[in-house]
Amino acid sequence: PLLYEELAKYFSVSADEAAEELGVCMSAIKKICRRHGIVRWPHRKLLSANKAISVIEAKLAETDDASQVESLRNEAINVLVSKLRVVLNPAFIASSEAVTTLP
């Protein structure tokens, strides 16, 4: 049986790529995920969080306004916390919490 920790190493790639690297078919990946309570493969959610962090970093580099810097830092913390929750418990994806960025 594949341990959660071993499976988590592949969250940064698509489920298809993970299956290929692990040498199993997609049906096996889905079965393993269900066994660990993973409803959705977290790859896209993690990509979204990484993109949001990049956008926030770019905005931080452009601004000198202290209140906006503080707001962006708080937003970055929220995105990082969300990303950590997804990595530790991909079932968290099923909740209504979404990663968003400021306009």
Side-chain angles (χ1 to χ4, degrees), residues 20-82:
E20 188 175 318
E21 290 182 30
L22 289 167
V24 298
C25 64
M26 271 304 296
S27 296
I29 286 288
K30 290 178 182 180
K31 193 175 194 178
I32 293 166
C33 287
R34 283 192 295 271
R35 190 177 328 130
H36 290 293
I38 301 170
V39 178
R40 300 184 89 170
W41 191 253
H43 170 65
R44 293 184 75 170
K45 187 73 167 181
L46 294 175
L47 279 180
S48 175
N50 289 338
K51 184 177 178 182
I53 291 168
S54 295
V55 169
I56 292 167
E57 287 174 342
K59 288 179 182 179
L60 277 170
E62 295 173 358
T63 188
D64 292 327
D65 180 22
S67 64
Q68 189 173 10
V69 167
E70 184 65 28
S71 175
L72 288 168
R73 285 185 178 158
N74 288 335
E75 184 179 357
I77 290 169
N78 290 336
V79 172
L80 289 170
V81 167
S82 177

